[in-house]
Amino acid sequence: MYHAMTSLGFAQASTFSGPLRLDGAPKGASVLVLGAGIAGLVAAYELRQAGYHVTVLEYNGRAGGRSWSIRGGDRYTELGGAEQTCRFAKGEYVNPGPWRLPYHHHGMLDYARRFNVPLEPFIQVNYNAYLHGTNAFGGKPQRYRTVQADYNGHVAELLAKATGAGRLDGEISGEEKEQLLESLASFGGLDKDMLYGKNRIASERRGYDVPPGGGLMPRAQYSTPGNRGELLSSRLWESLAVGHEYEFQTSIFQPKHGMDQIALAVYGQVKQLVQFHAKVTAIDQDERGVTVTVEDARQPGQGIRKVKADWCVCTIPLSILSQVEVKAKPELLAAIAAVPYAAAFKAGLQFKRRFWEQDDGIFGGISYTDQPINRICYPASNFNAKGPAVVLGAYMFGPNAFEFSAMNTDERLREVVRQGGQLHAQYEKEFDNGVTVGWHRVPWINGCMGMWTEGARAQHYDNLCTIDNRLVLAGEHASFIGGWQEGAVLSAHDAITRLHAKAKATTTRSAA
Amino acid sequence: MYHAMTSLGFAQASTFSGPLRLDGAPKGASVLVLGAGIAGLVAAYELRQAGYHVTVLEYNGRAGGRSWSIRGGDRYTELGGAEQTCRFAKGEYVNPGPWRLPYHHHGMLDYARRFNVPLEPFIQVNYNAYLHGTNAFGGKPQRYRTVQADYNGHVAELLAKATGAGRLDGEISGEEKEQLLESLASFGGLDKDMLYGKNRIASERRGYDVPPGGGLMPRAQYSTPGNRGELLSSRLWESLAVGHEYEFQTSIFQPKHGMDQIALAVYGQVKQLVQFHAKVTAIDQDERGVTVTVEDARQPGQGIRKVKADWCVCTIPLSILSQVEVKAKPELLAAIAAVPYAAAFKAGLQFKRRFWEQDDGIFGGISYTDQPINRICYPASNFNAKGPAVVLGAYMFGPNAFEFSAMNTDERLREVVRQGGQLHAQYEKEFDNGVTVGWHRVPWINGCMGMWTEGARAQHYDNLCTIDNRLVLAGEHASFIGGWQEGAVLSAHDAITRLHAKAKATTTRSAA
């Protein structure tokens, strides 16, 4: 199959060139993998397949790292000691970390496929969801489809005017001009006079005041396009581009039953190699191997022990690794210290019923707002179901995330519900319970992902990824797909491919 | 709940105003429903709920009508006698009729909800699917995302030039102009000079030549935007608007396991009322009731009998009804004769494996071509699965549909596979088996849906829908949502609501 992929040029479209096929590990060679997130799990699985003796040390009492789904009964204690016990109904969950799988994240999709993790479409763009600006349209949420249709309509009409009036004759003329005008009518939903107006064409984009019905029901009534100036000043058009972006274009997926399902499927393959509650406090290495000092994560200063191996793949986030004593070249240490971690905050809210479906006709997708909660993401599974359901009620970065994380857990939920209520009047009444994660308060990472600047990349990235004697780093922070699980997969693939080559070369030299 | 809907203005957005609640049928009153498609099933269900004695007469040996899914083992004999036996694998199907449920088809969604039919997202727009023009780009299929990105980019750049050069000063100026320019950069993926070019911004829309990777993998390489003139003359932009259209916008659904699942769920509620293989040959009526003449659909001229009732809801397609002896006002008879039926052709192709996913990275969605097959629609379920799967390999209307239906069933498949092979080189090798439906050869409808012209609507539509003594018509043909199941639902709701009112009034008068 992968031969076919290559021959069709598919592999060229991805840095992922098919499943990794390492083999021939030096006899008896061992690798210590630090961290059982996506990168660590993938590294452990592939290295074990190649014949290495693998041990995985994980701080938490579960595998997956940020690939994490919180469900009813789960308890989570953040930095500062606040504990939350999730009270979601059976089957409900929130993904505080990654939550989407773009169609071109071939590495992740391949593990899902190999380990039979079922996928379902994630709905990124929903034309019936809301766009809300506190000062736009009197604070009244607008349907995505009306903003989308009106934007395209006004842009097409303006360009048609400029083109038709010959104002672009230096730019475009003759047959191309005719084709442009024809395409603008299609793109913008313009009438035969190249105008965007109150008619069937525009209503077939933005919706009707009274939609077409059956029998002798009241006849359809066209809707009236919004005013161009109000639309432009509303800035609601800012939310229209996201669905065109490479990471968010269709098709885009989520694993059924929670994002952690893929990580857990890989974990299922390497279960016996993973030691939980192992906090790494030091990484030492010399020409002969690596020695990692570990303590019991549940009892600081207790259960201290040393774990040795020939090689080490370290996937510990840089925000934590920079606090660990690492023996490595100054260049690598400088790189480890060079990457700050972003703040992010998510809230999962369980409501008593799917009022967004039942009352608002919104099935999946995302409503955006300029309030700090930033967005409301509706569940993309069990559409039409009758019980309670969980919405992602807030997803914010930066200062807003810090501000929300500074509140106590009850205050956070109250404020998230208050803001969401600006889009959905049903919020207060239907709210049941919720859980929040402020990522810079997550004990094992203190942030949500590495924030590379261009300058830091230029100075440190290669140093971060280069094998330092017997140690190599992997994770989303050691990739150009920051914050995505695919970055972790590709980083792990690349790191262990190089490590494997070095291990084989080293053994050959030793034997010679 | 439906009170909440109305108070939030949701009901105003739909001609569907909540589940029908008819009650108080006159004691002993009976209704004959002709046809067990969506309209007939819904009419039967709601009238029975209201207290009527209901009998449904259906020509076929199954319920659902055009809401039909063909599965392995199903046999289908078309006009002319050609029989096909479907050889799809277990669980695979093709919907030769309706195949999508828009989010605003509240009537259909409500029946799905009430009768627990699970829905899954249908993928209408897939940025990684192909757009193919025989004479465009040397016949090489283009990814939707590159055409989409390039179109937006070029349009935004052109309008920014016109605006920036002051050529639209009469139209737009000051703050609005600044906002327009800012929005165009976002919309088109323009750089700081308002140009669409080979850079990160454009590659984050149209994709990369080498995408970002992990570790020390080769660095990302930007892709080069296509030429504006070639794009415009390719006409591939014609396929970009469909996802903006009201009927095809997200969210859009399909029932899991086949479109017939909703019809069959309603049928499950009225099973005992339905008589199959009943071919209606005449509809007679007088002041006291309706008498329908029926024969055995499997044995022409045999099993002739008369069925009587107080009232009749006739959902027989006009293409068939116009061949039945109906006693009605001339206006209704003229309306029945006034609506020609569209020709359509669909082909379901089973392939040995999901090469479109595995080789091409296309998960669901639709590729379009200017060849007669018109499109290839990839399955929107069981993503990543390892076995065979069924693609909708052709969906065409008009002369093309006639031409394909004129071929024998083997020739049709050969030609569909040949044309699809222009988009997917794997077609020949991976093709397993297929089934085709040319709708004007379907014995019980001779077409796919009523084709109202504006003139015919003006002259005949109200006459078609008006109750004629004891007879009322329903179906997609008696709606403004032609060819959609929602039209059938709303038409049925409206028809039986009026019939019920008349029945009650009639009884009151009789009693008085």
Side-chain angles (χ1 to χ4, degrees):
Chain A
M1 186 188 73
Y2 285 96
H3 172 69
M5 281 171 58
T6 312
S7 69
L8 282 156
F10 173 53
Q12 290 166 27
S14 171
T15 320
F16 173 77
S17 52
L20 214 55
R21 299 254 185 260
L22 306 180
D23 50 27
K27 207 169 162 146
S30 60
V31 185
L32 205 46
V33 175
L34 307 182
I38 288 283
L41 291 167
V42 161
Y45 171 76
E46 299 292 354
L47 288 168
R48 208 264 320 256
Q49 292 291 101
Y52 289 91
H53 297 275
V54 178
T55 301
V56 184
L57 303 176
E58 166 58 44
Y59 174 91
N60 286 306
R62 60 164 185 85
R66 280 165 280 180
S67 191
W68 179 24
S69 303
I70 302 180
R71 301 182 177 83
D74 288 351
R75 287 192 303 174
Y76 161 57
T77 306
E78 63 182 34
L79 281 184
E83 188 186 69
Q84 298 174 75
T85 301
C86 179
R87 294 190 288 119
F88 291 167
K90 194 168 162 7
E92 295 298 314
Y93 65 89
V94 66
N95 298 317
W99 51 314
R100 294 172 286 204
L101 296 168
Y103 65 86
H104 47 81
H105 282 189
H106 303 293
M108 284 299 290
L109 294 178
D110 184 64
Y111 286 110
R113 179 165 188 269
R114 274 196 276 168
F115 302 134
N116 301 306
V117 179
L119 305 177
E120 60 196 0
F122 178 89
I123 299 179
Q124 173 69 44
V125 175
N126 181 337
Y127 281 68
N128 207 37
Y130 293 119
L131 299 180
H132 172 255
T134 311
N135 300 313
F137 298 96
K140 189 164 184 282
Q142 306 294 298
R143 298 284 187 179
Y144 182 97
R145 70 164 180 275
T146 64
V147 176
Q148 165 72 69
D150 290 356
Y151 186 80
N152 283 15
H154 288 304
V155 161
E157 186 181 297
L158 273 178
L159 185 53
K161 275 181 189 162
T163 309
R167 290 175 188 145
L168 279 163
D169 281 359
E171 282 292 334
I172 189 164
S173 57
E175 198 185 357
E176 194 184 347
K177 184 166 147 180
E178 291 313 308
Q179 287 158 349
L180 174 66
L181 287 169
E182 209 181 330
S183 76
L184 287 173
S186 163
F187 159 72
L190 306 186
D191 65 17
K192 64 179 171 27
D193 300 320
M194 299 302 280
L195 297 173
Y196 179 64
K198 182 176 180 171
N199 52 38
R200 187 176 180 282
I201 309 169
S203 294
E204 279 295 320
R205 302 280 169 96
R206 68 193 312 288
Y208 291 81
D209 279 355
V210 176
L216 301 178
M217 287 178 170
R219 292 295 164 92
Q221 285 181 24
Y222 303 137
S223 63
T224 308
N227 172 275
R228 190 184 65 205
E230 188 174 16
L231 174 67
L232 288 173
S233 70
S234 78
R235 303 196 70 85
L236 296 186
W237 46 261
E238 286 178 349
S239 298
L240 299 177
V242 62
H244 294 314
E245 285 171 18
Y246 193 47
E247 305 289 17
F248 306 112
Q249 295 168 356
T250 49
S251 309
I252 181 165
F253 296 96
Q254 62 183 13
K256 284 185 188 175
H257 313 304
M259 183 51 85
D260 63 359
Q261 297 301 296
I262 299 177
L264 293 181
V266 184
Y267 169 67
Q269 302 287 319
V270 296
K271 225 172 200 167
Q272 68 288 2
L273 312 179
V274 181
Q275 300 175 16
F276 288 131
H277 304 299
K279 179 179 174 179
V280 172
T281 56
I283 302 171
D284 192 18
Q285 59 168 333
D286 60 23
E287 293 309 311
R288 294 203 313 257
V290 181
T291 304
V292 169
T293 308
V294 174
E295 63 178 40
D296 189 326
R298 294 161 296 185
Q299 298 168 290
Q302 301 292 304
I304 297 171
R305 61 200 163 99
K306 307 233 182 235
V307 188
K308 289 172 185 286
D310 297 328
W311 306 94
C312 179
V313 178
C314 176
T315 72
I316 298 172
L318 302 182
S319 46
I320 300 296
L321 190 60
S322 57
Q323 303 171 44
V324 172
E325 192 185 322
V326 179
K327 179 148 177 216
K329 287 202 194 80
E331 294 85 344
L332 176 52
L333 296 177
I336 290 170
V339 185
Y341 268 53
F345 176 91
K346 272 189 183 176
L349 309 178
Q350 178 167 298
F351 291 96
K352 294 167 200 155
R353 64 179 182 95
R354 293 176 177 243
F355 61 81
W356 52 93
E357 297 183 356
Q358 294 157 11
D359 304 350
D360 300 81
I362 299 174
F363 297 84
I366 305 177
S367 288
Y368 289 93
T369 171
D370 61 355
Q371 300 173 102
I373 57 168
N374 189 263
R375 76 193 85 176
I376 296 171
C377 181
Y378 313 95
S381 50
N382 303 319
F383 298 103
N384 252 348
K386 285 157 192 166
V390 170
V391 147
L392 177 67
Y395 181 24
M396 63 187 82
F397 291 89
N400 286 331
F402 282 114
E403 222 164 280
F404 266 79
S405 304
M407 303 178 195
N408 73 41
T409 53
D410 285 343
E411 285 169 350
R412 293 174 190 172
L413 287 173
R414 261 199 305 278
E415 183 58 16
V416 169
V417 169
R418 193 195 64 76
Q419 292 186 15
Q422 305 304 304
L423 284 81
H424 292 284
Q426 308 95 321
Y427 246 56
E428 286 287 351
K429 185 173 166 230
E430 303 293 349
F431 176 65
D432 188 354
N433 67 82
V435 63
T436 58
V437 174
W439 277 93
H440 63 281
R441 283 186 179 271
V442 174
W444 40 274
I445 182 161
N446 302 352
C448 79
M449 61 186 186
M451 289 269 280
W452 285 101
T453 60
E454 268 186 50
R457 283 262 192 218
Q459 200 180 340
H460 297 293
Y461 181 81
D462 283 357
N463 292 337
L464 187 83
C465 299
T466 302
I467 297 173
D468 184 299
N469 198 3
R470 294 190 164 247
L471 171 68
V472 69
L473 270 51
E476 59 84 17
H477 49 276
S479 84
F480 283 87
I481 320 177
W484 289 91
Q485 296 170 100
E486 184 73 1
V489 169
L490 296 186
S491 165
H493 280 193
D494 179 69
I496 65 177
T497 300
R498 285 182 288 119
L499 196 73
H500 179 55
K502 182 166 182 178
K504 288 208 286 191
T506 306
T507 310
T508 310
R509 276 204 307 277
S510 312
Chain B
M1 184 188 74
Y2 285 94
H3 171 70
M5 281 172 56
T6 311
S7 69
L8 282 155
F10 174 55
Q12 290 167 27
S14 171
T15 320
F16 173 77
S17 52
L20 213 55
R21 299 255 185 260
L22 305 181
D23 51 27
K27 209 170 161 145
S30 60
V31 185
L32 205 46
V33 175
L34 308 183
I38 288 284
L41 291 167
V42 161
Y45 171 76
E46 300 292 354
L47 288 168
R48 207 264 321 253
Q49 292 292 103
Y52 289 91
H53 297 276
V54 178
T55 301
V56 183
L57 302 176
E58 166 57 43
Y59 174 91
N60 286 305
R62 60 165 185 85
R66 281 164 279 179
S67 191
W68 178 25
S69 303
I70 301 179
R71 300 182 178 83
D74 289 350
R75 286 193 302 174
Y76 161 57
T77 305
E78 62 181 34
L79 280 184
E83 188 185 70
Q84 299 174 74
T85 301
C86 179
R87 295 189 289 115
F88 291 166
K90 193 166 161 13
E92 295 298 315
Y93 66 88
V94 67
N95 297 318
W99 50 315
R100 294 172 286 202
L101 295 168
Y103 66 87
H104 47 81
H105 282 189
H106 303 294
M108 285 299 290
L109 294 179
D110 183 64
Y111 285 111
R113 181 166 186 269
R114 273 196 275 169
F115 302 133
N116 301 305
V117 179
L119 304 177
E120 60 196 0
F122 178 88
I123 299 179
Q124 173 69 42
V125 175
N126 181 337
Y127 281 68
N128 207 37
Y130 292 119
L131 299 180
H132 172 254
T134 312
N135 299 314
F137 297 95
K140 189 164 182 282
Q142 305 295 296
R143 297 286 187 178
Y144 182 97
R145 70 163 180 276
T146 65
V147 175
Q148 165 71 70
D150 290 356
Y151 186 78
N152 283 14
H154 287 305
V155 161
E157 187 181 297
L158 273 179
L159 185 52
K161 274 182 190 163
T163 310
R167 289 173 188 146
L168 280 163
D169 280 359
E171 282 291 335
I172 188 163
S173 58
E175 199 186 355
E176 194 185 347
K177 184 166 146 179
E178 290 314 308
Q179 287 159 349
L180 174 66
L181 288 168
E182 209 181 330
S183 77
L184 287 173
S186 164
F187 158 73
L190 307 185
D191 65 17
K192 62 180 171 28
D193 301 319
M194 298 302 281
L195 297 173
Y196 180 63
K198 182 175 181 171
N199 54 37
R200 188 175 179 283
I201 309 168
S203 294
E204 279 293 320
R205 302 279 170 96
R206 68 194 312 288
Y208 291 80
D209 279 355
V210 175
L216 300 179
M217 287 177 168
R219 293 295 165 91
Q221 286 181 25
Y222 303 137
S223 63
T224 307
N227 173 276
R228 190 184 67 207
E230 187 173 16
L231 173 67
L232 289 173
S233 69
S234 78
R235 304 195 70 84
L236 296 186
W237 45 262
E238 287 178 347
S239 298
L240 298 177
V242 63
H244 294 314
E245 286 170 17
Y246 194 48
E247 305 288 17
F248 307 112
Q249 296 169 354
T250 49
S251 310
I252 181 166
F253 296 97
Q254 62 184 12
K256 283 185 190 175
H257 314 304
M259 182 52 83
D260 62 0
Q261 297 301 295
I262 300 178
L264 293 180
V266 184
Y267 169 66
Q269 303 286 321
V270 296
K271 224 171 201 167
Q272 69 286 4
L273 313 179
V274 182
Q275 300 176 15
F276 288 129
H277 304 299
K279 180 179 175 178
V280 171
T281 57
I283 301 171
D284 193 17
Q285 59 169 332
D286 60 25
E287 292 310 310
R288 295 203 313 257
V290 181
T291 304
V292 169
T293 309
V294 175
E295 63 178 39
D296 188 326
R298 294 160 297 186
Q299 296 169 291
Q302 300 292 303
I304 296 171
R305 62 201 163 99
K306 305 231 183 242
V307 187
K308 288 171 185 289
D310 297 326
W311 306 94
C312 178
V313 178
C314 175
T315 72
I316 298 173
L318 302 182
S319 47
I320 301 296
L321 190 60
S322 56
Q323 303 172 45
V324 172
E325 193 185 322
V326 179
K327 179 148 176 216
K329 287 203 195 77
E331 293 84 345
L332 176 53
L333 297 177
I336 290 170
V339 186
Y341 269 53
F345 175 91
K346 271 188 182 176
L349 309 177
Q350 178 166 297
F351 291 96
K352 294 167 199 153
R353 65 179 181 95
R354 295 177 175 242
F355 60 81
W356 51 92
E357 296 184 355
Q358 295 158 10
D359 304 352
D360 299 80
I362 299 174
F363 298 85
I366 304 177
S367 288
Y368 289 93
T369 171
D370 61 356
Q371 300 173 99
I373 57 168
N374 190 264
R375 75 193 86 175
I376 296 171
C377 182
Y378 313 96
S381 51
N382 303 319
F383 298 103
N384 251 348
K386 285 158 191 165
V390 170
V391 146
L392 177 67
Y395 182 25
M396 63 187 82
F397 290 89
N400 286 331
F402 282 114
E403 220 163 282
F404 267 78
S405 305
M407 304 178 195
N408 73 42
T409 53
D410 285 344
E411 284 169 350
R412 293 173 190 173
L413 287 172
R414 259 201 304 279
E415 182 58 15
V416 169
V417 169
R418 192 195 65 75
Q419 292 185 15
Q422 305 303 303
L423 283 80
H424 292 285
Q426 308 97 319
Y427 247 55
E428 286 287 352
K429 183 170 168 231
E430 303 293 348
F431 176 65
D432 189 354
N433 67 82
V435 63
T436 57
V437 174
W439 277 94
H440 63 281
R441 283 187 180 270
V442 173
W444 39 275
I445 182 161
N446 302 352
C448 78
M449 61 186 186
M451 289 270 278
W452 285 101
T453 59
E454 269 186 50
R457 283 263 191 217
Q459 198 179 341
H460 296 292
Y461 181 81
D462 283 356
N463 292 337
L464 188 82
C465 299
T466 302
I467 297 173
D468 185 300
N469 197 4
R470 295 191 163 247
L471 170 69
V472 69
L473 268 53
E476 59 83 19
H477 50 275
S479 85
F480 283 86
I481 320 176
W484 289 91
Q485 296 170 100
E486 184 72 3
V489 169
L490 295 186
S491 165
H493 280 192
D494 179 69
I496 65 177
T497 301
R498 286 182 285 121
L499 195 72
H500 179 54
K502 181 165 184 179
K504 287 208 286 190
T506 305
T507 310
T508 310
R509 275 204 306 278
S510 312

